[in-house]
Amino acid sequence: MEYVGNLHLLLRRFCTLVFSHNAFTYRCLSGMQTVTLIPGDGIGPEISTAVMKIFEAAKAPIQWEERNVTAIQGPGGKWMIPPDAKESMDKNKMGLKGPLKTPIAAGHPSMNLLLRKTFDLYANVRPCMSIEGYKTPYTDVDLVTIRENTEGEYSGIEHIIVDGVVQSIKLITETASKRIAEYAFEYARNNQRTSVTAVHKANIMRMSDGLFLRKCREVAENYKDVKFREMYLDTVCLNMVQDPTQFDVLVMPNLYGDILSDLCAGLIGGLGVTPSGNIGANGVAIFESVHGTAPDIAGLDMANPTALLLSAVMMLRHMGLHAYADKIQIACFDTIKDKKVLTGDLGGKSKCSEFTGEICRRVQDME
Amino acid sequence: MIKSRHTVTLIPGDGIGPELLSHVREVFRYSCVPVDFEVVHVNSALASQDDMDNAITAIRRNGVALKGNIETKHTLPPSVKSRNNILRTSLDLYANVMHCQSLSGVQTRHKNIDIMIIRENTEGEYSNLEHESVSGVVESLKIITRNNSLRIAEYAFKLAREKGRRRVTAVHKANIMKLGDGLFLQCCKEVASGYPDITFDSMIVDNTTMQLVSKPQQFDVMVMPNLYGNVVSNVCAGLVGGPGLVPGANYGRDYAVFETATRNTGKSIAGRNIANPTAMLLASCMMLDHLKLNDYASLIRNGVLTTMNETRVVAHSRYWGLGTTSDVVQSVMKNIQSKGQLTAEL
């Protein structure tokens, strides 16, 4: 028993050695990697099944551990995610999540917010790349928005000062700004991106955005191989809709990130085709589709699994499994480009299972 | 009292402001517009408020101003606020109005855009209330008040009715900022109930930007707090062809200040005779309308639009056209001459 224990320890140490210190590439040599899967609500379960099928067809070394997240009240009345879900994520570090429904008047905060707080998911990363075959007025979009996800305008701190006067507090801290800036530059370096643009409104919010900008400038000093630019939020918006090809990696505080990441999703075709990843402290990363639960088509085999699939591909890249990521992404894009088997939202008439089947077939043909 | 001549405060500002405004003066002189300009300079490199105080006093005196953007220098301490912002709040120019229309002569990805954007111009995220509570932790306060929200909503609906528009959309983030944006939305709903002839709906700001880049034709009139107004107006300006095309106006109860809609300083293109004078010229036309000099406004506006749409003389832009600012201005004046009897000799 002890011998096996030692061997396991040795293997883990070996894994740690090839685990680069900034935790962005992870090559575990022990074989299968377990990922926590949160199917979610509405169309969540069916698109999760689609992703699992495609991964199986690609023979990706992933095994899935399904968990549900519904808010439960712990001792002391504090809302939290179920302990088995937390345990699974803490153990596996990697997670894939489908859409969760936002409860109205359920008395508890949104599940996404709970997840964010539980795992300190400080960076929301959305790569936006034009999909050949899914035509939008914008072509050649290839940018990444990196949004600080814990503070800023989403601090949730609001007060009624006097009747009819409300104050909402935007919080910017040195630590969070430095952390997101460092992530952005590391991401740029590890993904062969050429520039990082800090998006801000420091002309108006002199102190808060000023602090954010200062931290970005400081971090940029340590990454001379990556070009650093700063641009006002309004100028970014103005230029983004005229020529998005001028942008590469964008880093920004919470609200601007929320707005810009959705704007960029709009450029490539909407939330149904946009991947998203949330990076947390302690090596945790949860990848998710950011569209809604679409209750009107749930269970009807009509959903489009592209967003969740591309998020899963993002996860594979994050884990260093680039070959599998490329294979699945190419199969997905080729299916869309071919236009023969497309789900309703992409302009076709096929079922989700047919679309999935087509991608599986292409993946297997690539063997 | 019917005035024969009007005096308007002119603030050249920085970057491309001075050159664009000198072109406006050129066109006004050429068209014999009965407007005299009182020029007030603001030095953005100075920390002192005196320049701004002079400018504000001049605007109070004349009631109307035309301005270029004043740069906010980052080298000055954070206590030195944006001059443009100070001007807006001191004069209580609570409504920023921008009309984004597709121009037939301008190549863009989206066609048939016709959106009026009404943006609350004095509070919200631009309240200038920031402090460092603990070292390394900065709090910035966003203020939303019932009075200002009602006021801007009222302005939006009134304008919509005046212009025969069908729908007003309030843009917000009330799912996150429940109290602040919640109050804004509530006020819009209240005002909407007094305008049953106009459809009212609302949309969350991130979805709004996504909709704007995919289907901008769905929007009619939009009303929103300050920061979202900044985002939405820049997105819309980009959609119809860029910052050089769209004029903007800031209205208060007693004063009005006209400028380009996206308020760019344009430092990188200043002094090179490549800035597009269209936005500033159209802003000056909005000013003439405000002064009830409608004939002159139409004359110059038609001259500008003919240049854009028919004679197709376009200023330099990284996206299209390689003409110079002077080319455009000359073309505008030629079009004015061919239409009106009011012009001076060329």
Side-chain angles (χ1 to χ4, degrees):
Chain A
M1 206 59 199
E2 201 185 63
Y3 180 79
V4 170
N6 280 343
L7 195 64
H8 185 65
L9 202 66
L10 211 70
L11 206 59
R12 278 187 61 188
R13 278 224 185 99
F14 192 89
C15 283
T16 315
L17 276 177
V18 297
F19 184 90
S20 66
H21 80 280
N22 53 24
F24 298 119
T25 54
Y26 190 150
R27 201 167 280 110
C28 185
L29 301 170
S30 57
M32 294 295 267
Q33 173 72 35
T34 314
V35 168
T36 305
L37 176 68
I38 301 165
D41 309 306
I43 55 171
E46 51 203 286
I47 55 176
S48 302
T49 309
V51 171
M52 288 196 280
K53 275 210 180 84
I54 294 167
F55 269 52
E56 201 187 318
K59 299 204 184 62
I62 304 288
Q63 56 197 24
W64 306 97
E65 198 169 89
E66 262 187 63
R67 290 286 180 271
N68 270 321
V69 286
T70 35
I72 59 167
Q73 234 169 346
K78 191 165 160 221
W79 288 102
M80 50 191 230
I81 65 170
D84 63 337
K86 181 169 190 309
E87 204 187 300
S88 173
M89 267 312 307
D90 283 334
K91 173 172 62 88
N92 299 327
K93 301 291 184 192
M94 294 292 123
L96 185 68
K97 175 178 117 11
L100 293 174
K101 68 173 178 246
T102 318
I104 303 170
H108 63 77
S110 85
M111 287 316 305
N112 290 317
L113 188 62
L114 267 183
L115 280 169
R116 206 168 298 142
K117 288 218 141 80
T118 311
F119 300 107
D120 195 17
L121 301 174
Y122 67 92
N124 177 253
V125 184
R126 281 211 209 158
C128 283
M129 209 160 75
S130 286
I131 299 177
E132 203 186 336
Y134 190 41
K135 217 170 168 315
T136 65
Y138 297 90
T139 50
D140 302 324
V141 178
D142 185 4
L143 52 84
V144 183
T145 55
I146 295 178
R147 158 192 177 187
E148 203 293 322
N149 218 8
T150 63
E151 54 178 33
E153 300 80 350
Y154 293 28
S155 62
I157 311 169
E158 293 189 289
H159 309 114
I160 298 178
I161 310 288
V162 289
D163 187 32
V165 179
V166 175
Q167 167 186 300
S168 303
I169 297 187
K170 162 177 165 164
L171 211 62
I172 297 283
T173 64
E174 199 169 313
T175 10
S177 304
K178 184 156 175 273
R179 187 165 64 164
I180 196 69
E182 272 171 353
Y183 180 82
F185 278 94
E186 274 296 331
Y187 182 94
R189 195 180 257 173
N190 293 329
N191 290 277
Q192 289 83 46
R193 312 294 302 207
T194 43
S195 74
V196 171
T197 306
V199 182
H200 66 99
K201 277 239 33 96
N203 51 341
I204 298 294
M205 283 169 266
R206 304 293 313 274
M207 284 181 79
S208 48
D209 282 4
L211 172 59
F212 179 83
L213 198 55
R214 250 193 342 269
K215 288 291 137 201
C216 289
R217 286 177 185 154
E218 280 171 27
V219 172
E221 290 298 309
N222 300 330
Y223 291 83
K224 294 286 196 197
D225 49 322
V226 179
K227 187 156 159 263
F228 174 64
R229 288 191 311 177
E230 18 185 284
M231 211 184 261
Y232 289 138
L233 171 67
D234 33 326
T235 313
V236 172
C237 289
L238 185 60
N239 290 333
M240 183 70 79
V241 301
Q242 293 181 83
D243 179 22
T245 62
Q246 64 189 282
F247 295 105
D248 192 352
V249 176
L250 296 145
V251 64
M252 61 216 102
N254 219 330
L255 177 69
Y256 313 154
D258 193 4
I259 297 173
L260 270 181
S261 55
D262 275 9
L263 194 159
C264 293
L267 298 176
I268 61 166
L271 299 181
V273 294
T274 307
S276 176
N278 298 288
I279 310 298
N282 306 316
V284 168
I286 302 182
F287 298 84
E288 60 177 352
S289 57
V290 285
H291 52 67
T293 53
D296 49 330
I297 59 166
L300 301 176
D301 198 16
M302 286 170 64
N304 177 1
T306 304
L308 191 64
L309 184 64
L310 291 178
S311 303
V313 163
M314 222 181 132
M315 180 186 77
L316 287 172
R317 290 196 205 288
H318 183 86
M319 293 160 75
L321 297 167
H322 296 281
Y324 295 102
D326 288 338
K327 204 161 55 169
I328 295 171
Q329 185 171 304
I330 290 171
C332 177
F333 282 1
D334 280 351
T335 305
I336 297 175
K337 190 161 77 173
D338 209 26
K339 295 198 206 234
K340 296 214 184 71
V341 189
L342 293 177
T343 49
D345 61 311
L346 293 174
K349 293 198 184 63
S350 304
K351 296 208 187 49
C352 173
S353 48
E354 289 166 343
F355 182 69
T356 309
E358 180 64 18
I359 299 177
C360 289
R361 192 186 60 75
R362 283 178 192 271
V363 160
Q364 278 156 343
D365 285 347
M366 278 191 231
E367 291 296 314
Chain B
M1 182 186 84
I2 299 171
K3 281 176 141 179
S4 48
R5 287 192 80 81
H6 299 258
T7 307
V8 166
T9 306
L10 188 93
I11 303 173
D14 301 304
I16 51 175
E19 59 194 86
L20 294 182
L21 288 167
S22 82
H23 285 304
V24 168
R25 300 182 72 175
E26 195 184 336
V27 172
F28 272 33
R29 259 194 308 270
Y30 181 74
S31 315
C32 299
V33 175
V35 166
D36 296 313
F37 287 106
E38 183 191 344
V39 182
V40 183
H41 291 279
V42 173
N43 189 340
S44 53
L46 293 181
S48 105
Q49 272 275 88
D50 295 346
D51 281 357
M52 273 320 293
D53 291 339
N54 289 340
I56 291 168
T57 309
I59 299 175
R60 285 210 168 100
R61 185 169 48 240
N62 298 321
V64 177
L66 190 60
K67 74 180 266 291
N69 202 45
I70 305 162
E71 193 189 343
T72 306
K73 289 219 163 10
H74 290 255
T75 45
L76 293 173
S79 51
V80 180
K81 306 295 170 200
S82 151
R83 264 50 182 256
N84 306 297
N85 196 8
I86 291 173
L87 197 136
R88 292 189 290 266
T89 48
S90 309
L91 297 168
D92 199 24
L93 301 170
Y94 67 90
N96 176 253
V97 180
M98 179 177 157
H99 187 184
C100 264
Q101 261 178 315
S102 293
L103 293 174
S104 57
V106 180
Q107 259 294 74
T108 53
R109 290 182 182 82
H110 307 273
K111 310 267 174 254
N112 302 319
I113 298 174
D114 189 353
I115 306 174
M116 293 206 76
I117 299 166
I118 292 133
R119 159 188 178 184
E120 205 293 323
N121 216 11
T122 58
E123 58 176 27
E125 301 80 350
Y126 289 48
S127 305
N128 287 323
L129 297 164
E130 297 185 294
H131 54 266
E132 192 164 3
S133 42
V134 164
S135 170
V137 176
V138 176
E139 281 183 10
S140 179
L141 306 182
K142 163 178 165 166
I143 309 289
I144 298 281
T145 63
R146 197 174 155 69
N147 284 347
N148 290 344
S149 303
L150 284 172
R151 189 167 65 163
I152 195 68
E154 191 62 58
Y155 189 95
F157 277 90
K158 216 157 130 230
L159 189 66
R161 187 177 265 172
E162 223 173 90
K163 303 281 180 189
R165 313 287 291 216
R166 305 255 58 115
R167 207 170 110 236
V168 173
T169 306
V171 179
H172 66 96
K173 192 94 190 141
N175 51 337
I176 301 290
M177 282 172 260
K178 297 185 164 79
L179 293 184
D181 284 2
L183 175 59
F184 181 83
L185 201 54
Q186 182 55 37
C187 292
C188 289
K189 285 191 182 131
E190 278 176 36
V191 172
S193 59
Y195 291 81
D197 50 320
I198 297 176
T199 313
F200 170 69
D201 57 19
S202 64
M203 199 183 272
I204 299 183
V205 62
D206 33 316
N207 187 23
T208 306
T209 53
M210 199 162 26
Q211 296 293 325
L212 278 169
V213 297
S214 38
K215 235 176 11 146
Q217 300 81 3
Q218 64 182 287
F219 295 103
D220 191 352
V221 177
M222 301 169 83
V223 64
M224 60 209 84
N226 220 329
L227 182 71
Y228 312 148
N230 182 234
V231 169
V232 170
S233 37
N234 275 270
V235 168
C236 290
L239 292 175
V240 298
L245 296 180
V246 193
N250 304 282
Y251 296 105
R253 199 191 59 182
D254 304 315
Y255 313 107
V257 174
F258 301 87
E259 55 180 348
T260 64
T262 50
R263 303 170 175 167
N264 306 92
T265 324
K267 268 200 308 199
S268 60
I269 57 171
R272 291 163 60 190
N273 198 19
I274 56 175
N276 195 336
T278 305
M280 196 60 91
L281 283 169
L282 290 176
S284 70
C285 294
M286 287 178 85
M287 181 189 79
L288 290 172
D289 277 327
H290 182 80
L291 292 170
K292 306 271 188 275
L293 295 169
N294 304 97
D295 289 341
Y296 292 100
S298 301
L299 180 68
I300 297 173
R301 185 176 290 123
N302 287 335
V304 174
L305 293 177
T306 307
T307 298
M308 292 309 301
N309 297 330
E310 289 166 43
T311 35
R312 306 267 173 123
V313 177
V314 290
H316 182 278
S317 160
R318 77 164 103 176
Y319 307 119
W320 41 264
L322 285 167
T324 63
T325 317
S326 332
D327 288 341
V328 179
V329 175
Q330 286 300 310
S331 171
V332 170
M333 294 199 292
K334 248 177 57 197
N335 287 322
I336 290 173
Q337 187 195 37
S338 63
K339 291 282 165 61
Q341 290 83 45
L342 309 165
T343 59
E345 281 298 304
L346 229 180

